[in-house]
Every structure is written in structure tokens, then in C-alpha cells.
Amino acid sequence: MTDSWGRGKIPAPQTFGTILDASPDALLGIAADGRITVANAAAARLFGYSIDDLVGRDHRMILAEGFRGEVDQLAAQLLSEPDGHVPPREIYGMTRDGTEFPAEAAGSLIPPGAMPGAGCAQDSDDGARAQPRLLLSVRGTSHRQAADADLREAMSLLTATLESTADGILVMSAEGRVAGFNDQFLTMWNISPELLKEDSEEPVMRVIVAQVADPVAFTAKVNELEEDLSAESHDVVDFKDGRTFEQYSRPQRVGEKIVGRVWSFRDVTPRRKAQEQAHQAMLDLAAQAEKLRAMAFQDPLTGLANRAVFNDTLSEALKEPRLKTVDVLLLDLDDFKEVNDILGHQAGDDMLIEVARRLRGCAPSADVVARLGGDEFVVLLTACPDADAIAECIVRCLHVPVTIKGTVLQPSLSLGLASLGRDSVGASELLRQADIAMYAAKAAGKNRFLRFHPDMMTALMQRTHMEGGLQLAVSRGEITVDFQPIVSHRMGQVFKFEALARWDRDGGRVPPSVFIPLAERIGLIREIGTEVMALGMAQLAPWLSEDPSRSLAVNVSGVQLQDPDFAEAVLRLAEKSGVPAYQLVLEVTESVFFDADCSLIRQLSTLRDAGARVALDDFGTGYSSLGRLQDLPVDTVKIDKTFVSMVRTGNERLPILSSMINMAHSLGLTVTAEGVETVEQADYLTALDCDSLQGYLFSLPQPGRRLDQALQHAEEALSRLKGR
Ligand code: C2E
Ligand code: CA
Ligand code: CA
């Protein structure tokens, strides 16, 4: 059976009804007057009517208000465009109980007579009217709307998430267009939204690349990811402005297909800064620990090793089998105290640093060069073929002048060298031997090195023994005073005695040239000086009281003058002994003025104000020139015996003596000549108008109980001179 258009056969009525009922969509035949002529089971289900209830009724009853003209419009459209595609319409249907529901309605025109009365139900009242004109297919879409709502909700959730995340997100399509981004992305990269509207990624990339610290690496990475659509990456991107981003990139997939790429950026600057700070803190800690460690082994001023390192290394060296030599070179700067006192501690430090530098240079092969403290250094040599040569080099190198604080100084040092010999000795013994040798080098005149010799030990023991003895000398009454007369040729008499300290010990007499410097060094000179002064005043007081023009001279060391109470103490002592201050003369050497401070000058001024006088002892042997004399607070100069001893026959021309005397006189000072031993000398000096004379010619220094003999001897000598 072919229809009128010849398009196939119409199925048998029974079969046709079955097929209609099998359709999942509601199918309705609508007649030209709008009545339902055919309905299938799905239609009955959808609208809540029985098929019989539907057939014969107007179809508008199953459409919601506002949609009741839709079917007519559909039919009209189908009629006007028989070959066109007429899309389904969104309508609202209505069930028997009045419930409206969304649906999709599609239709097709039925040629007249093509469709028999459907098997399922058919309006058979009126054959012509019952001919369906339109086959309407209705599909409920409530389920689809629910899905749409879910989608919308999911979308809004996604958008909210994207916008609230701290990460910046950019989605690029596979074609290289911007497919999506969030606000955070714009803020983080400082990108204006306009840029992203462009068709190409170029402008965005330019802004991005301009900001990263390493544009080349960044671009390479991006290109690499573009080549391989499925690649994922996780990188750290540093910015020129100091920020750091973590950058994730992964493909965007729809099903299996890769449609683009998602970039996600996270600002990790605070985290990185915290990490950096933590790292820096760790480094600082490590550095501090290293510094502490170094401080335990290093002399902070010179950077040399310290005593602990030296001791350890020496002990280790001595434990080694006897294959090599071990030499200890101990050295101490000469007169370093003066550098500190005169130029200040900074200059002293500079000097020590320079010495350390030179030492390292002289002994590059040394096992250890250490500073033991103060101005004492030590060099340890093992397996050195010629330690003496190194020692000599050190002495020579150190003596090269150096400019410190604008002053040219010539450092010098005394070095003691001790070596491991046939007898094995311990570390401390070796160091002690080097110390003894160094001391011997100082005693031998400084600026030299001496190798340890056992004889030095004996000398040291004597010295140590002497030191111990001197400590007790005053309390044991071993310190006494001898007096030597000073005569005035003009007056023809003794007018002054000089008090000279004596130390009798174990039946022998230790010369003052030995025990006075020792007392100065070990801090005993104050005690001894005071004792001499007290004994001298006490013993000479009766002689002094007979004639106010007589006086007593006592020697005063520079160390004593450093005591701020010195002048007071002298005046108190004088008062106690009943000796007026004006009968006192204090003999000081030129060296006390070398680095004279105000305090020292004040001591001397106080004494001179009280009437005492000051004599400059050993004049001519020190540094001061004649020109400096006028600045010094002195009343008398004592010409040293070395000048006096130049006079032998009395006929020689000695301008130095005459100019000394003339100069002193022109400054209003009196002159005493020391060490006068011969008549020729006495005559010569008298001829030069020297004011007073002292020496063996008149008398040896005598103890107080032999004062009369001394006086008598001196006066006899004087009258002999006069008689010539
Ligand atoms: P000085 O102050 O220059 O004392 C003079 C020294 O020359 C004394 O030596 C004396 O005995 C010696 N003498 C005197 N006449 C002659 C002579 O005609 N020919 C020679 N060759 N020598 C003569 P002395 O007693 O051995 O004292 C040495 C130094 O010790 C003194 O030199 C002085 O600097 C110091 N001295 C002595 N007693 C004291 C003291 O109580 N305190 C201080 N600070 N120093 C003292
Ligand atoms: Ca003297
Ligand atoms: Ca003298």
C-alpha cells in the first residue's frame, strides 16, 4: 500500500496502533477542528487521561493557558514551509488535574486519508472530522529543566570558587585564545581586562613576560607546554619586583579531548620570604657558631693562633717520633710599653698587627705563629733545617721602621730560641727554656735572639733568688745609705751630701746598678726609695741643722714620680725628720721627662714650691738636648762622669764641657760635676766656673757613722786644691 505521495505503505491498523503505543513520546492526531482523533498510551500517561477520554476532545484542554494557540501555529508553519525544518516548540502542557508542565512539541502534517483510525483509540463518530491533519508529538521536559538548574548551580558554584580563590587562573583554548580567567589573575599580573578580549594571546604574554625575572626561561617553558598539549607542569616564577609565584599548568579536557590549557598562579612571596628569613637565620647562626669556634682558637686582634692552639700543637709535635726537629721561638717586643704610653693604645694595636704580619712573612713554614698575650709572640717550627736563620730573619725583619699614626717607629724584639735536644723535655719545659733565652736576650741589650744555654738557667735562678731577697731587704734592714760629699770650691767646704742606697746581702754587697733597676721592674722601688730617704734624713738631720745652706740630695726614680702622692709623702717625711724642705734636693734623670705627664710635673712643682730643689742627674747621657733644658723644672744639672773622665791632663780643649756649663748658667742653673777623681779634673772644672764637685777625689760614699771621715777627707782635698 502506497500513500498518495507514494512514500511507502501504511501499516495494518493493528500494527499501527501497536507502534504508536510503543513510542515513548506522547503522540496525538489532531483534526483540522482541533479535536484529538488519535492518542497513544504515552499521551494518556503524560496528560493523566485515559485514551478514551482524550479522543474526541479539543486538544487545547491539554495545553496550559498561553500555549493553546501553539498547535495551530505549528500547523500553519508546517503548511507554509512544507520542505523546511520546523524546530520543536517549547510549550507548557496541562494534566487532567490542572498541573502545568514544560514540554517540547513537534509536529508533522498528515496527508488526508494516510492515517487510519488508530488502533489504540479513534474518534469514530464523524469519519471526515475524525481524519487527523497533524501528528503531534509531545515530550515532557521537566527532567531537562532540573538538569539545567543543576548545571546553573554548578556553574555559579564554580564561578564563586574561582573568584574567591587566592590563585589567579587563566584558561587558554587549544587555538591560543583566552577562554577564561578570574579577577585574581588580572590583579596578580596587573593585566587590564581589555587585553584579554583580544583574539590573540600575544598582548597578554607580553605583559606577563615583561614582569618575570627570567623572561627567556619563562618563554621557553610556555612554548614547551604549548608543544605538548597533554603536559603538566609545576614551576616557580620569580618576578622582577621581588615577588614569587608558583605556577601550575595542566591540560583542560572535555571527555578525552584536550580543548585547552589551564594556568593557575599562586603568590608565594610571603612564604618564600619566610623561608629565606629562616634560611638566613640558619646561616647567621652557623656564622656565629663559626666565629665562636674561631674565637676559641684565635687571637682577635692579630688573627694569629692563641696560646691554647700553640700549647696543643707543641704537645702533639713532641709526641711524634724523633724524626724531626722541634723549635720554639719566643719573642717579646722591646719597650712596647712606650709605644702604648706615648702614642696611645690604638697605635699599640696597630704595631702588634704589623708585627703579626711580618712574623707570618718570616716564617711561612711555621706550624703555628701565635700571640700569647700583650706583646709576646711565639713561633713553632717542626722539621725546620735552620731555626737560627729564621730567628735571625725575624729579628731583622721586625727592625724595619714602620709608620704608625704618622710617627716612624723602629720596632725591635728580643727572641729566645729553644730546640728539642737529645734529652726529651715536655712542652712547658721547652717554652720555659725559650723564655729564659728571651730574657737573656733582653738583658744582653735587646734587639737580638739568643739560643737557650743551660748557663742561662743558673743566671735566672740567681735572678729569681735575688728578687726574692730584695722583697725582704727593707724589712730585714739590709738596705742602708752611704753619703758622698759634694764640695763647693768657692766656699771651700762640703755643703751637700748625696744619699746612695746600699744592699748588703749574705755578707756581700749588691751594686745599686743591679738592684735599683730590678726594684723598679718588680715594683719595689717605692719602698726602697722611701727607706733611703727616711734613713738619709734621719742620719743627716743633725749636720743639716747646723747650717741652713747645707743640703741633702736623694735619687728619685721615674717610677716613684708616677705616684700622685709622692710630693706629699716626701714633705711629710721631711717634716717628721725635722729637715726643712729647702734643704732637700731631688735628683732625677732626664729620662723621667721623656714622656712626662702633667702629674709628674705637678709633683716636682709642689716640691719646688715647698722650697726643695731638683737636680738633673747624669746630664748629657740622655736624649734631651741642651736646648730642652729651659723647659724643665730643675735648679741644678749634674754633668755625668763620662764627660768629666774626658779630662786627663787638664790641657785638652773640651768645648762640650764649657758649653754645658755656660748654657746651664745662662738659664740660671747651678752645675755639679760628678765622678771627679783627679786634681786635674777638679782644676779644669773650676776654671770653667763649675759650681760644685763630687767624686772619689773628695771622698768615697761613706755610711752615716763615718760622716766625719768623709767630711775631713773632702776638706783636706779641697785645701790641697787651693794651695796649688
Ligand atoms: P748616680 O746617682 O749617678 O750616683 C753616683 C754614682 O757614681 C754612685 O754609684 C757613686 O758611688 C759613683 N761615684 C761617685 N764618685 C765617683 C767617682 O769619682 N768615680 C766613679 N767611677 N764613680 C763615682 P753607685 O752608688 O753605685 O750608684 C749607682 C747609681 O744607682 C746611682 O747613680 C743612682 O742612679 C742609683 N742609685 C743609688 N742609690 C739610689 C737610690 O736611693 N734611689 C735611686 N732611685 N737610685 C739610686
Ligand atoms: Ca745621683
Ligand atoms: Ca749621676
Side-chain angles (χ1 to χ4, degrees):
M1 215 161 59
T2 314
D3 74 358
S4 53
W5 290 290
R7 274 182 275 180
K9 296 185 175 195
I10 303 292
Q14 197 57 41
T15 325
F16 188 74
T18 313
I19 293 171
L20 282 187
D21 277 344
S23 163
D25 289 339
L27 297 174
L28 296 153
I30 310 289
D33 63 359
R35 276 187 302 139
I36 300 167
T37 58
V38 178
N40 68 350
R45 273 198 306 279
L46 185 62
F47 296 104
Y49 293 92
S50 69
I51 294 173
D52 288 344
D53 285 345
L54 283 171
V55 175
R57 308 282 289 274
D58 191 297
H59 77 275
R60 291 175 190 90
M61 109 183 148
I62 56 168
L63 296 176
E65 210 185 321
F67 295 90
R68 291 179 180 148
E70 289 283 331
V71 174
D72 290 337
Q73 285 169 24
L74 181 63
Q77 206 179 350
L78 287 166
L79 278 170
S80 66
E81 308 170 40
D83 294 323
H85 169 72
V86 179
R89 288 172 172 252
E90 301 280 332
I91 59 156
Y92 265 80
M94 193 166 73
T95 61
R96 182 176 201 152
D97 63 6
T99 310
E100 297 179 356
F101 61 91
E104 204 176 70
S108 56
L109 290 175
I110 306 169
M115 193 168 175
C120 35
Q122 190 175 356
D123 183 3
S124 52
D125 294 358
D126 184 341
R129 270 186 300 135
Q131 272 301 310
R133 191 179 56 126
L134 182 77
L135 178 64
L136 186 68
S137 142
V138 183
R139 179 180 289 177
T141 56
S142 304
H143 66 283
R144 202 186 291 164
Q145 284 205 334
D148 283 356
D150 283 352
L151 195 64
R152 268 197 299 277
E153 198 182 311
M155 279 300 287
S156 89
L157 191 68
L158 194 67
T159 315
T161 311
L162 276 183
E163 287 308 331
S164 61
T165 175
D167 294 350
I169 289 166
L170 173 71
V171 184
M172 297 297 292
S173 74
E175 295 75 41
R177 270 194 304 276
V178 175
F181 57 88
N182 64 354
D183 284 350
Q184 195 57 31
F185 170 74
L186 301 181
T187 320
M188 285 167 81
W189 285 97
N190 245 324
I191 290 171
S192 80
E194 278 66 45
L195 270 188
L196 293 165
K197 287 189 188 131
E198 308 219 357
D199 251 10
S200 135
E201 62 178 334
E202 291 266 333
V204 181
M205 275 305 274
R206 256 203 308 280
V207 176
I208 288 177
V209 168
Q211 297 179 60
V212 299
D214 186 350
V216 177
F218 182 83
T219 314
K221 185 81 208 174
V222 170
N223 290 342
E224 185 190 315
L225 290 170
E226 277 179 358
E227 298 267 298
D228 181 1
L229 290 181
S230 66
E232 289 194 18
S233 77
H234 178 201
D235 304 286
V236 172
V237 182
D238 286 319
F239 277 57
K240 284 180 183 151
D241 65 9
R243 287 181 299 159
T244 301
F245 281 8
E246 250 173 23
Q247 165 189 292
Y248 297 88
S249 178
R250 56 188 316 168
Q252 184 200 359
R253 286 195 164 86
V254 173
E256 288 300 295
K257 192 171 182 307
I258 295 174
V259 297
R261 176 166 285 287
V262 183
W263 296 85
S264 148
F265 304 95
R266 178 168 296 181
D267 189 346
V268 292
T269 315
R271 192 174 77 199
R272 197 213 53 213
K273 283 198 171 143
Q275 277 171 349
E276 276 174 9
Q277 273 167 6
H279 183 66
Q280 190 54 49
M282 292 286 287
L283 288 180
D284 289 352
L285 223 82
Q288 240 166 19
E290 172 58 30
K291 210 161 135 188
L292 279 173
R293 205 186 60 79
M295 265 166 64
F297 301 113
Q298 212 181 46
D299 166 43
L301 178 66
T302 61
L304 294 181
N306 63 13
R307 184 184 288 271
V309 173
F310 169 77
N311 286 343
D312 283 356
T313 321
L314 178 58
S315 306
E316 285 305 312
L318 293 178
K319 273 188 223 152
E320 290 285 310
R322 284 304 166 76
L323 288 172
K324 51 189 181 181
T325 59
V326 178
D327 302 286
V328 173
L329 287 69
L330 184 71
L331 53 108
D332 184 284
L333 298 183
D334 298 329
D335 309 312
F336 177 66
K337 196 181 166 297
E338 275 175 27
V339 177
N340 260 338
D341 288 354
I342 299 167
L343 295 177
H345 284 275
Q346 184 57 52
D349 284 356
D350 290 352
M351 174 103 138
L352 292 173
I353 291 168
E354 175 60 14
V355 167
R357 197 185 66 77
R358 291 184 185 185
L359 269 182
R360 273 203 214 94
C362 287
S365 61
D367 292 48
V368 178
V369 179
R371 178 174 169 226
L372 299 183
D375 57 340
E376 204 174 56
F377 297 83
V378 71
V379 177
L380 174 66
L381 301 170
T382 59
C384 174
D386 193 353
D388 289 67
I390 303 258
E392 207 173 297
C393 164
I394 291 175
V395 172
R396 212 175 40 239
C397 286
L398 264 288
H399 203 47
V400 174
V402 56
T403 307
I404 285 172
K405 279 188 152 183
T407 309
V408 179
L409 298 173
Q410 191 164 26
S412 83
L413 60 87
S414 304
L415 189 155
L417 168 56
S419 305
L420 193 64
R422 257 163 286 137
D423 324 312
S424 71
V425 291
S428 58
E429 182 56 22
L430 203 57
L431 190 61
R432 203 171 97 88
Q433 289 183 356
D435 190 45
I436 291 164
M438 181 187 84
Y439 202 95
K442 280 226 191 279
K446 306 176 181 176
N447 190 32
R448 69 193 60 217
F449 93 89
L450 285 180
R451 187 174 260 288
F452 173 77
H453 187 277
D455 286 353
M456 291 174 179
M457 206 71 152
T458 324
L460 174 80
M461 277 159 72
Q462 283 171 352
R463 199 168 58 233
T464 332
H465 188 56
M466 190 184 289
E467 270 180 34
L470 193 58
Q471 305 273 5
L472 300 169
V474 173
S475 59
R476 283 181 177 162
E478 289 172 0
I479 300 292
T480 56
V481 181
D482 274 3
F483 298 93
Q484 187 175 35
I486 299 172
V487 302
S488 160
H489 185 261
R490 222 171 289 124
M491 298 193 289
Q493 59 183 16
V494 174
F495 74 107
K496 196 192 289 186
F497 276 99
E498 177 177 359
L500 292 159
R502 297 290 176 253
W503 181 24
D504 293 303
R505 175 167 183 261
D506 298 338
R509 178 160 275 192
V510 183
S513 58
V514 170
F515 77 83
I516 294 289
L518 179 63
E520 284 177 338
R521 211 167 42 241
I522 62 176
L524 278 177
I525 193 67
R526 284 191 183 89
E527 191 189 358
I528 291 172
T530 308
E531 177 73 358
V532 171
M533 223 175 277
L535 291 174
M537 288 185 202
Q539 291 175 38
L540 219 64
W543 181 77
L544 291 170
S545 67
E546 285 168 18
D547 184 345
S549 69
R550 292 172 178 175
S551 54
L552 165 68
V554 284
N555 293 285
V556 174
S557 141
V559 181
Q560 289 171 272
L561 284 168
Q562 249 134 45
D563 185 351
D565 296 329
F566 174 75
E568 283 303 316
V570 171
L571 295 175
R572 258 200 320 274
L573 209 59
E575 202 179 343
K576 206 175 135 206
S577 320
V579 176
Y582 64 82
Q583 285 188 303
L584 278 182
V585 178
L586 299 142
E587 295 195 0
V588 296
T589 56
E590 290 166 89
S591 62
V592 306
F593 297 109
F594 184 51
D595 57 332
D597 56 15
C598 310
S599 162
L600 186 143
I601 301 289
R602 212 167 29 241
Q603 299 301 314
L604 292 181
S605 301
T606 307
L607 288 164
R608 287 177 88 212
D609 291 348
R613 278 156 296 158
V614 176
L616 194 59
D617 212 347
D618 305 340
F619 184 68
T621 59
Y623 301 96
S624 76
S625 59
L626 285 171
R628 236 192 113 187
L629 255 187
Q630 60 184 333
D631 302 326
L632 303 181
V634 299
D635 307 276
T636 305
V637 293
K638 294 187 78 174
I639 295 174
D640 190 72
K641 46 184 169 284
T642 49
F643 297 99
V644 174
S645 65
M646 290 186 222
V647 181
R648 293 183 189 281
T649 61
N651 295 322
E652 48 275 271
R653 262 179 46 80
L654 296 167
I656 179 99
L657 272 179
S658 53
S659 52
M660 272 176 165
I661 293 166
N662 289 338
M663 173 69 130
H665 281 166
S666 70
L667 293 170
L669 309 176
T670 56
V671 182
T672 305
E674 293 186 288
V676 181
E677 293 180 352
T678 64
V679 175
E680 289 72 25
Q681 290 168 343
D683 281 343
Y684 194 99
L685 291 159
T686 307
L688 288 179
D689 206 17
C690 185
D691 302 283
S692 48
L693 307 170
Q694 174 182 7
Y696 296 162
L697 175 65
F698 304 100
S699 169
L700 291 171
Q702 296 289 353
R705 59 187 146 81
R706 299 183 58 168
L707 215 57
D708 286 344
Q709 280 106 307
L711 277 168
Q712 194 186 341
H713 194 276
E715 269 150 23
E716 277 169 15
L718 260 178
S719 37
R720 270 202 302 279
L721 282 177
K722 286 215 154 174
R724 273 160 56 94

